[in-house]
Amino acid sequence: MKKRSKRLQVVLDLAERKRKQADQWLSQSQSRVQQGEATLEQLRSYNADYANSFYQVGASGISPGQIATHQAFMQKLSGAVQQQEKALQTDRAQLEKVKEYWQSAYQHFKAVEMLVDKLRREESLQAEKQLQKELDERSQLIRPPFI
């Protein structure tokens, strides 16, 4: 019969695979949030820059058509900012769920790893005891020459 630690090695391998997959998902989710934050910051910066440049140009006088074009563009830009904020909010919520999953997978892996290590130590101790027992039995079988 196989040792318990050997049988549980399969469970440990599966837990490790699950943990590594969770690591990848966590990394991807964090990257997605970072990219979303960077994109949102760029949109806000562009929005502010465009508004400031338009107001500077507008101080010298602009036509009603230019005002209408500016307002339409600013509305589209504001819509893009809102859309990015919603996407970022969704990405952050997903990141929290992925973190929970990663934590669960990591804890499971560590628990199985500790169990396998404990079983290996116990099996090693038992093997040492068995070896010592065999050595003791053999030493009793050998008769000294003076008897």
Side-chain angles (χ1 to χ4, degrees), residues 14 18 25 30 32 48 58 62 72 90 93 106 113 130 133 145:
L14 290 173
K18 187 176 180 182
W25 288 346
Q30 288 172 334
R32 209 172 11 259
I62 54 173
T90 301
Y106 185 78
E113 184 180 46
Q130 181 65 30
K133 180 181 174 184

Side-chain angles (χ1 to χ4, degrees), residues 56-63 66:
Q56 288 174 356
V57 170
S60 62
I62 54 173
S63 69
Q66 289 174 321

Side-chain angles (χ1 to χ4, degrees), residues 13-114:
D13 292 344
L14 290 173
E16 185 176 13
R17 235 184 277 152
K18 187 176 180 182
R19 181 192 55 90
K20 286 181 180 180
Q21 185 179 37
D23 287 346
Q24 288 177 339
W25 288 346
L26 180 63
S27 175
Q28 290 169 354
S29 188
Q30 288 172 334
S31 293
R32 209 172 11 259
V33 167
Q34 289 173 349
Q35 287 174 338
E37 288 172 344
T39 301
L40 182 60
E41 183 60 34
Q42 286 175 343
L43 283 171
R44 286 179 176 164
S45 176
Y46 183 69
N47 189 7
D49 290 346
Y50 184 77
N52 287 336
S53 68
F54 184 77
Y55 295 133
Q56 288 174 356
V57 170
S60 62
I62 54 173
S63 69
Q66 289 174 321
I67 291 175
T69 302
H70 170 71
Q71 287 176 338
F73 182 73
M74 290 300 290
Q75 285 178 345
K76 287 183 180 181
L77 199 51
S78 293
V81 168
Q82 289 174 351
Q83 184 179 8
Q84 184 61 31
E85 286 172 341
K86 287 180 185 177
L88 184 57
Q89 186 178 15
T90 301
D91 288 343
R92 285 181 177 151
Q94 184 179 12
L95 175 60
E96 289 305 312
K97 289 180 183 179
V98 169
K99 279 182 181 178
E100 290 172 11
Y101 177 78
W102 175 85
Q103 193 172 26
S104 170
Y106 185 78
Q107 288 172 345
H108 176 71
F109 170 74
K110 281 298 184 185
V112 173
E113 184 180 46
M114 287 172 52

